[in-house]
Amino acid sequence: YLRRLAHEGMAERYGDQVTEAHRARIEYELDTICTVGYARYFLIVRDFTDYARKNGVSVGPGRGSAAGSIVSYCLGITDLDPIRFDLLFERFLNPERVSMPDIDIDFSYENRQKVIDYVVGKYGRESVSQIITFGTMAARAVVRDVGRAIGMSFAEVDRVAKLVPADLGMTLPKALEIVPELKALATQDETHARLIRCSLALEGLARHASTHAAGVLIAPGHLTDYVPVYKSPKGDFTTQYDMKSLEKVGLLKMDFLGLRTLTVLEDALRHIAASAGDGASALDLKSIPLDDKPTYELLQKAQTIGVFQLESSGMRDLLRKVLPDTFEDIIAINALFRPGPIQSGMIDDFVKRKHRKQKVSYMHPELEPILSNTYGVIVYQDQVMQIANRLAGFSLAQADLLRRAMGKKMPEEMSRMKATFVEGCAKTHQVPKKKAEELFDLMEKFAGYGFVRSHSAAYAVLSYQCAYLKAHAPAAYLAASLTSEVGDTDRIVTLVEESKRMGIAVLPPDVNQSIASFSIEGPAIRFGLSAIKNVGQGSVESIVAARRSGGPFLSLADLVRRVEVAQINRRVLESLVLAGACDGLGGERAQLFEAVGLLLTQAQDRARAVARHQESLFGADQSFAATDPPLPFVPPWPADERLRREKEVLGFYFSDHPLAAYRHVIE
């Protein structure tokens, strides 16, 4: 069945472009997959990715080494042609390696649960479970826990914990080495000595259980026949074994990852389609050209705020240095921006060679076709494998074992493989022993820094798609990005600033114009009501529904009358007023704010009267066609108070800035 689906998929993907190379590759991969007993795994993954695509759930182009498989591509699991992008299958699945790889799949953030529900429905609730993960006592956390247990004051424990650097991978022994004050505490008095002693003993132990963000287990029968099950305090079921233990007992786990970028792309395309109107053909991101000039101009100027993987300040610096002008450059940039390559000086070599400030040289002519895309620098693990394959005659499966040994620094394995490599170079290409040894050492140096090309290429596709939309439909793209960050004030500020920098006006929230999310209004972006603090989804839906059924609100009293009382409380209305969303309803913000309490009391009285079926003397119609009470007479707020209150609910100054009057002085 797998073979049949793969061949059908190949005909669909390549049409009349199928070559002998395609046929040979797919047969080799299918033989390997079936030999290692992996066919069912592929079929299951293909089934739920197929379900996702048919049911409007965006699926990522690929992730990790799985994107190197032509079978994955033909089955529709990934969207990256491994032949076109020179991706290696052996980096994913090696018949000579015992450990099995995973196929991790990215789904749109909002709809990931839909796919998990489908899998539960298909294989049965008794066979599918999420996976447990254990929170461990990390360096700072263990100090806090021990301090609390031995009765130290919160302030003192906090002071000691903050002496531990917050670096990634920090451990207590390491912290004691590099922070003299921490080391001194261990001998200061018995309480502090005990704190450090117990913390060292407990560091790294499991502290609590929670549910893994992405892992899902599918058992071949009832879960309880294969794995102990844990019920969390919330009532959710997970396995009692963590991911590594599940692999050891041979159970099948899948990673269903929610990727916000896919939701942003989905929303941006929706905005573009709505702006284009009926009859316009929908934009298909899979068919956009990979040599689009405006996209590369945007990347070269590093205008990548909001662009997947390319928006950090360090990444923008790298873009300005590299000045990417091909898709290959984007793949390389994604792989290079990591601590190893940055510290080793690889990036500088790459940049100088790209801009012809340093000669591109190869230790052997056979290396040119392998390293020309990266200007002679070994950037990917796949290149290490290709060098061993082409120069020393290793099979790609053997080359993958060499790459693993180099990456994991296995000295015995490496010295054995070095001899085989030198011998192979002499036999295959008459490379002198000294030259072959130099080449091996070079590969060893880069193997530790190298990145998986398939992952980098797949994520480069997403980076490019984001940049393409930002270059060609900036308002639609930024509106979608803003909506995806609704809960994060700092990100909203950054993206609003970016919109203004690009000359796109961001219109204020307005109960008569805004919807829950950020939307497109002509060439501008309209602020979404959900981004206002204290205003929940239910309240926004009720406001929008009332507006659609009865037309625009004429006043604040009209809004309170027409929206369900249960959906808008005092806090919601006050927040809307403070944010400026009611500015179009007449009156100053101070007056509207003051009127909220009275209007809500009247609305609640009316609701109670309706509930008791009471009518006035003149009948129901007249009793509810009440005239608006006059707004209270209160002086307008001074500009700085108006802005301060606006910032309370939006998280930043929107309509103006307290320092705006002094802009010329500041400049």
Side-chain angles (χ1 to χ4, degrees):
Y1 185 46
L2 176 71
R3 286 175 187 275
R4 194 183 90 202
L5 287 177
H7 283 289
E8 284 169 5
M10 184 164 70
E12 211 173 293
R13 288 284 198 190
Y14 295 105
D16 54 6
Q17 307 292 308
V18 177
T19 64
E20 203 43 57
H22 290 103
R23 288 193 191 92
R25 172 77 172 254
I26 205 165
E27 284 308 326
Y28 165 67
E29 285 194 18
L30 285 167
D31 287 347
T32 306
I33 290 163
C34 296
T35 304
V36 298
Y38 224 39
R40 291 177 185 188
Y41 184 51
F42 269 85
L43 289 170
I44 291 170
V45 177
R46 182 255 174 199
D47 176 58
F48 63 71
T49 49
D50 189 47
Y51 165 82
R53 288 196 170 94
K54 285 177 180 168
N55 288 274
V57 180
S58 292
V59 183
R63 171 186 251 274
S65 57
S69 160
I70 196 171
V71 171
S72 295
Y73 179 60
C74 292
L75 293 176
I77 292 169
T78 58
D79 261 324
L80 205 63
D81 180 355
I83 304 285
R84 180 183 173 188
F85 291 104
D86 196 21
L87 308 177
L88 300 185
F89 172 67
E90 287 79 4
R91 177 61 192 81
F92 166 62
L93 189 59
N94 183 343
E96 296 182 30
R97 192 172 81 214
V98 181
S99 63
M100 286 290 180
D102 292 329
I103 304 177
D104 299 339
I105 309 283
D106 290 315
F107 296 102
S108 68
Y109 192 73
E110 307 293 319
N111 293 315
R112 165 181 167 267
Q113 193 56 44
K114 241 190 196 181
V115 188
I116 295 176
D117 292 344
Y118 166 74
V119 169
V120 171
K122 173 130 191 169
Y123 301 102
R125 186 161 294 283
E126 65 285 348
S127 299
V128 181
S129 163
Q130 287 193 268
I131 295 168
I132 207 164
T133 181
F134 297 102
T136 55
M137 295 198 202
R140 277 188 171 189
V142 75
V143 169
R144 292 184 194 280
D145 280 352
V146 171
R148 192 165 58 241
I150 63 175
M152 289 175 72
S153 73
F154 175 79
E156 182 53 22
V157 173
D158 191 53
R159 187 182 74 81
V160 178
K162 282 178 177 167
L163 288 174
V164 178
D167 302 354
L168 200 68
M170 180 53 64
T171 62
L172 270 182
K174 206 190 289 182
L176 285 165
E177 270 175 41
I178 60 177
V179 183
E181 296 157 78
L182 195 64
K183 196 171 185 181
L185 280 179
T187 54
Q188 182 180 309
D189 55 62
E190 180 47 33
T191 306
H192 285 87
R194 189 175 173 212
L195 172 70
I196 303 295
R197 197 168 59 246
C198 294
S199 297
L200 283 166
L202 295 172
E203 186 183 11
L205 288 182
R207 182 183 188 277
H208 59 267
S210 58
T211 305
H212 190 279
V216 174
L217 170 78
I218 305 174
H222 282 219
L223 280 167
T224 45
D225 292 346
Y226 296 91
V227 63
V229 179
Y230 164 73
K231 187 178 181 183
S232 77
K234 290 182 189 167
D236 304 330
F237 285 94
T238 69
T239 62
Q240 278 190 48
Y241 290 166
D242 67 359
M243 279 203 162
K244 289 195 169 73
S245 307
L246 288 171
E247 279 175 20
K248 282 178 185 166
V249 297
L251 285 165
L252 176 70
K253 75 168 184 59
M254 307 281 183
D255 272 358
F256 293 72
L257 296 130
L259 189 62
R260 204 182 289 274
T261 302
L262 294 172
T263 306
V264 171
L265 293 171
E266 251 177 28
D267 282 354
L269 291 175
R270 240 192 322 270
H271 287 311
I272 293 165
S275 306
D278 298 339
S281 57
L283 174 64
D284 177 15
L285 285 177
K286 288 177 191 170
S287 59
I288 58 174
L290 290 181
D291 57 358
D292 179 66
K293 199 163 179 269
T295 303
Y296 287 105
E297 281 171 6
L298 179 132
L299 292 171
Q300 288 171 2
K301 289 176 188 162
Q303 294 175 349
T304 50
I305 296 289
V307 173
F308 180 65
Q309 299 273 296
L310 303 180
E311 73 167 318
S312 70
S313 57
M315 189 55 108
R316 296 206 306 278
D317 285 344
L318 181 56
L319 286 165
R320 287 187 198 99
K321 284 179 190 166
V322 173
L323 300 173
D325 51 11
T326 65
F327 188 68
E328 274 297 332
D329 287 346
I330 305 173
I331 300 176
I333 285 168
N334 259 323
L336 283 169
F337 192 69
R338 291 173 304 111
I342 291 167
Q343 287 155 16
S344 70
M346 273 169 75
I347 289 179
D348 295 332
D349 289 346
F350 184 89
V351 171
K352 283 175 191 161
R353 290 177 178 204
K354 176 173 167 60
H355 299 304
R356 297 188 172 85
K357 289 178 183 171
Q358 186 178 313
K359 190 170 179 286
V360 177
S361 57
Y362 304 99
M363 283 179 76
H364 191 280
E366 283 292 322
L367 298 186
E368 188 170 344
I370 299 169
L371 301 178
S372 58
N373 279 339
T374 52
Y375 313 104
V377 179
I378 301 174
V379 173
Y380 313 112
Q381 294 173 358
D382 313 50
Q383 289 170 320
V384 171
M385 292 165 63
Q386 286 169 314
I387 293 168
N389 169 249
R390 198 167 294 188
L391 231 68
F394 280 43
S395 71
L396 281 168
Q398 290 169 321
D400 181 51
L401 297 177
L402 169 65
R403 186 248 344 140
R404 275 169 67 83
M406 285 176 163
K408 293 194 172 180
K409 309 262 185 291
M410 304 171 172
E412 287 171 21
E413 186 78 1
M414 284 201 336
S415 62
R416 188 177 61 77
M417 285 188 158
K418 187 171 186 174
T420 314
F421 179 84
V422 171
E423 198 180 302
C425 286
K427 194 193 287 182
T428 316
H429 290 284
Q430 291 75 52
V431 180
K433 184 181 177 189
K434 190 168 184 297
K435 188 82 177 272
E437 284 175 343
E438 277 175 31
L439 187 55
F440 188 89
D441 295 341
L442 182 77
M443 285 162 62
E444 188 185 334
K445 177 189 165 190
F446 284 105
Y449 301 136
F451 198 66
V452 186
R453 179 173 162 84
S454 348
H455 183 72
S456 207
Y459 269 20
V461 169
L462 288 176
S463 301
Y464 184 85
Q465 288 174 349
C466 291
Y468 181 90
L469 288 183
K470 194 176 176 192
H472 291 276
Y477 183 73
L478 287 165
S481 300
L482 280 158
T483 298
S484 79
E485 302 284 6
V486 148
D488 187 337
T489 305
D490 291 344
R491 291 289 297 144
I492 296 277
V493 176
T494 304
L495 291 165
V496 166
E497 285 299 316
E498 179 67 359
S499 304
K500 289 176 181 171
R501 189 196 62 72
M502 292 185 79
I504 299 162
V506 180
L507 306 173
D510 185 333
V511 289
N512 275 329
Q513 301 292 337
S514 297
I515 54 174
S517 57
F518 286 77
S519 52
I520 298 293
E521 212 169 286
I525 295 170
R526 173 68 73 177
F527 206 93
L529 295 179
S530 289
I532 301 170
K533 281 182 190 164
N534 311 320
V535 180
Q537 192 69 24
S539 305
V540 178
E541 283 169 9
S542 294
I543 291 168
V544 173
R547 188 177 79 211
R548 283 184 179 148
S549 63
F553 303 111
L554 306 174
S555 63
L556 187 61
D558 184 36
L559 183 145
V560 175
R561 259 198 310 273
R562 284 164 50 193
V563 178
E564 285 178 53
V565 184
Q567 292 295 349
I568 48 164
N569 57 28
R570 184 176 191 131
R571 208 167 171 207
V572 169
L573 275 175
E574 286 180 347
S575 298
L576 288 168
V577 169
L578 296 178
C582 301
D583 285 0
L585 301 180
E588 289 284 340
R589 284 188 198 178
Q591 290 177 292
L592 295 168
F593 189 81
E594 206 62 40
V596 165
L598 173 68
L599 293 173
L600 277 174
T601 305
Q602 288 180 348
Q604 284 155 358
D605 289 346
R606 269 197 308 278
R608 277 195 289 272
V610 169
R612 290 200 303 267
H613 303 292
Q614 271 192 359
E615 290 183 2
S616 76
L617 184 64
F618 304 106
D621 292 347
Q622 283 91 336
S623 75
F624 295 125
T627 52
D628 291 357
L631 289 170
F633 182 72
V634 287
W637 291 326
D640 59 343
E641 186 180 350
R642 191 170 185 262
L643 286 171
R644 181 179 60 74
R645 288 173 169 242
E646 186 179 284
K647 186 173 187 277
E648 278 173 24
V649 291
L650 292 180
F652 61 104
Y653 300 111
F654 183 78
S655 57
D656 203 346
H657 196 285
L659 295 177
Y662 309 104
R663 182 172 271 124
H664 64 289
V665 180
I666 295 165
E667 282 172 0

